[in-house]
Amino acid sequence: MSKMKKQNSGRSDYSRKLSRHLRRTQSLPGAKSTSSGRRHLRVIIELTCKPSRQTVRRLCRHIDAGKGKLIRVKRRMTHMRFVAARVSASCLKRLCKIKFVRRVHPDRKVRVSLRIATPSIGSAKLQKRGLTGKGVTIAVIDTGVYPHPDLTKPRNRIIVFRDFVRGRNKPYDDNGHGTHVAGDAAGNGYSSKGRYKGPASNANLAVLKAFDKTGSADSSDVIAAIEWVIRNRKKYGIRIVNMSFGIPGVKVCSEDPICIAAEKAWRNGIFITAAAGNSGPDANSIDSPGISPLLMTVGAADDRRTVRQSDDRVAEFSARGSSRARKNRIKPDLVAPGVDIVSLRAPGSMLDRNEPESRVGSKYFRMTGTSMAAPLIAGAAAQLLQNRKSLTPRQLKSLLMRHAVSLGFKRSAQGKGEANVRFAANRIRCRRSRPNQKVGN
């Protein structure tokens, strides 16, 4: 009887702790056969405690059990309680039996969400009133950044660059996606005499390269970048993180370590904009981490190259949420322009070489996707934070959603509508007029 109980508990541990995606996938990501014939898998091990060196040694002892080479640890992520490793497929059950292991996830590949914007969402009006994101740092987790004049002149606003792919120290972008995204949020129009400008044209940038030249990344590298942001947020004044990437097919946040890490950053006071994804118009097509009820999930609108929002439409490709979700969980949260967005070009990058027809002059590049919509909201959020530094991520999200303009689409397509930050300009005007009012008025 006791033998049967032990067997049942072993099975329940295995089914409960092993991620659904890891259980059902036949050819698991990163599976490699070693010279001894063992198959190794890339996994992220979620622990119930911090992964100290001692804890990781205990973990390895439990798995190896004297056989050796069954686990190779790639990275410890202490803030997240994650360990990225390559483990033998034969020891997954043994791994799930360890008491301090909460869950085992696949270390999946993540891809960037590729597929007249600033005036359209009202940010140009705030810029005229002096709100340019000054004093706010936006972190961009992407393919890197090219030191474009619109980011480095008249002063260099790339205040920190970290490379989780090749370990380089100087900013570079071998794909081109990250440079475009950085410009969407914070380009100052230096090379175009102000024509192509992002909302937060005076904000600082912390750029974290987690994606390679093909626009692909290991989940563990993205999580390491998020952890770095949490650790260094006060040092560099980071208030916002933009995530223009995603994993399709994830239904709940607990199944994706990136989503878990992003929510932890949010709870640490960091406002996060996540691209909804480009798998629309199918229902339930929002990418993770955009599925999180906490984060600001941004879909794409087509502004039809006009400043007025009355003729804007939700882009066909913009991912849709579920119409059956509870009101406070309907995704996306709002939409922003994401069609034919002109931003910064990274000369010689993969996108620049493969799509020369997308170049706009010698300094700019045209791209489409929810990847372009999300950083516009990140830039608009920086403008609002410059005006009211005490705003929490929740308050920022509420403000942006409350003032969004409905485009007449379903909530599962447009969220609350298209972003519109013109309301903040009126508040600044009121504040400036207060000193001239008489006492008692």
Side-chain angles (χ1 to χ4, degrees):
M1 190 78 172
S2 61
K3 225 179 194 182
M4 279 182 72
K5 272 185 183 177
K6 276 184 181 178
Q7 281 176 350
N8 288 335
S9 74
R11 280 177 197 154
S12 66
D13 275 347
Y14 184 66
S15 57
R16 181 170 50 86
K17 290 185 176 183
L18 202 64
S19 157
R20 179 170 60 92
H21 295 270
L22 201 52
R23 267 200 323 269
R24 74 180 182 184
T25 310
Q26 293 301 312
S27 60
L28 293 158
K32 250 189 190 176
S33 292
T34 60
S35 54
S36 60
R38 294 192 189 111
R39 203 163 64 110
H40 279 71
L41 315 168
R42 287 198 326 268
V43 297
I44 295 172
I45 305 162
E46 187 180 351
L47 306 180
T48 58
C49 55
K50 283 193 175 183
S52 63
R53 286 188 174 84
Q54 189 179 355
T55 303
V56 172
R57 279 198 293 269
R58 279 173 60 204
L59 183 77
C60 293
R61 278 200 303 270
H62 272 92
I63 294 170
D64 280 341
K67 295 180 182 178
K69 294 185 180 177
L70 294 181
I71 180 169
R72 292 171 191 165
V73 174
K74 176 186 173 185
R75 181 180 279 126
R76 293 182 303 120
M77 291 165 272
T78 51
H79 278 71
M80 304 299 172
R81 298 187 175 183
F82 288 146
V83 175
R86 195 181 281 279
V87 300
S88 169
S90 61
C91 66
L92 282 176
K93 284 188 180 179
R94 196 182 305 156
L95 182 60
C96 291
K97 284 179 184 176
I98 300 171
K99 284 184 180 179
F100 55 87
V101 170
R102 176 175 282 142
R103 204 166 174 80
V104 184
H105 307 268
D107 190 356
R108 283 177 287 198
K109 285 288 181 184
V110 194
R111 290 202 63 81
V112 290
S113 303
L114 178 59
R115 187 137 165 117
I116 218 152
T118 296
S120 184
I121 63 170
S123 286
K125 193 172 183 180
L126 298 196
Q127 288 173 344
K128 287 175 183 174
R129 306 232 175 245
L131 292 187
T132 56
K134 189 176 182 181
V136 179
T137 301
I138 302 170
V140 177
I141 300 174
D142 217 289
T143 62
V145 67
Y146 167 73
H148 195 284
D150 287 25
L151 302 176
T152 60
K153 293 181 180 178
R155 70 176 180 92
N156 187 359
R157 292 179 293 119
I158 306 168
I159 59 170
V160 61
F161 174 80
R162 290 299 296 262
D163 183 4
F164 293 87
V165 179
R166 301 173 74 180
R168 292 184 181 178
N169 295 321
K170 291 183 179 178
Y172 74 101
D173 184 2
D174 45 8
N175 175 272
H177 185 272
T179 302
H180 198 285
V181 165
D184 292 329
N188 66 6
Y190 184 88
S191 305
S192 61
K193 296 182 180 175
R195 184 177 182 185
Y196 301 123
K197 188 190 283 192
S201 54
N202 209 11
N204 292 326
L205 290 169
V207 181
L208 306 145
K209 180 176 172 63
F211 291 77
D212 62 22
K213 67 179 178 182
T214 66
S216 180
D218 290 341
S219 293
S220 53
D221 288 337
V222 175
I223 295 164
I226 298 170
E227 184 178 52
W228 185 94
V229 168
I230 294 173
R231 265 202 329 263
N232 293 278
R233 66 192 188 282
K234 290 180 181 174
K235 181 179 179 181
Y236 295 106
I238 299 169
R239 299 291 308 273
I240 300 162
V241 177
N242 183 75
M243 299 184 179
S244 288
F245 54 80
I247 300 174
V250 181
K251 299 302 176 191
V252 291
C253 200
S254 60
E255 291 178 355
D256 177 20
I258 291 177
C259 195
I260 295 168
E263 285 195 339
K264 180 144 192 175
W266 181 278
R267 292 189 180 101
N268 274 273
I270 301 167
F271 181 75
I272 295 175
T273 49
N278 303 323
S279 302
D282 295 341
N284 300 308
S285 55
I286 303 284
D287 287 348
S288 183
I291 58 169
S292 165
L294 293 183
L295 314 186
M296 173 61 85
T297 307
V298 187
D302 184 352
D303 63 10
R304 303 190 177 194
R305 314 311 301 150
T306 65
V307 174
R308 68 179 187 275
Q309 292 181 302
S310 56
D311 65 345
D312 292 3
R313 299 287 181 268
V314 175
E316 184 80 1
F317 62 80
S318 186
R320 268 64 167 173
S322 169
S323 53
R324 295 179 182 177
R326 282 182 292 171
K327 270 192 176 179
N328 63 336
R329 287 179 178 253
I330 293 175
K331 292 288 179 174
D333 296 302
L334 44 70
V335 294
V339 176
D340 288 338
I341 304 299
V342 177
S343 184
L344 313 185
R345 175 186 167 219
S349 63
M350 195 184 80
L351 289 175
D352 184 49
R353 292 196 314 272
N354 292 350
E355 300 175 32
E357 68 281 359
S358 296
R359 294 173 190 163
V360 180
S362 62
K363 299 288 185 185
Y364 297 96
F365 204 78
R366 195 185 305 277
M367 289 172 75
T368 290
T370 54
S371 273
M372 285 65 252
L376 285 174
I377 300 304
Q383 290 179 295
L384 298 180
L385 279 171
Q386 181 191 343
N387 192 37
R388 289 176 61 190
K389 287 184 169 58
S390 61
L391 286 172
T392 65
R394 187 177 176 180
Q395 289 168 335
L396 253 179
K397 183 179 177 181
S398 176
L399 263 178
L400 286 163
M401 289 177 70
R402 194 188 316 149
H403 293 276
V405 176
S406 176
L407 302 181
F409 286 71
K410 289 181 180 177
R411 279 286 301 274
S412 57
Q414 69 162 22
K416 283 283 190 178
E418 188 173 20
N420 176 18
V421 292
R422 292 175 181 87
F423 70 91
N426 299 329
R427 293 187 178 188
I428 296 165
R429 194 186 303 145
C430 292
R431 284 181 186 176
R432 284 177 179 170
S433 65
R434 275 177 196 164
N436 299 325
Q437 291 177 349
K438 292 180 181 177
V439 177
N441 281 0

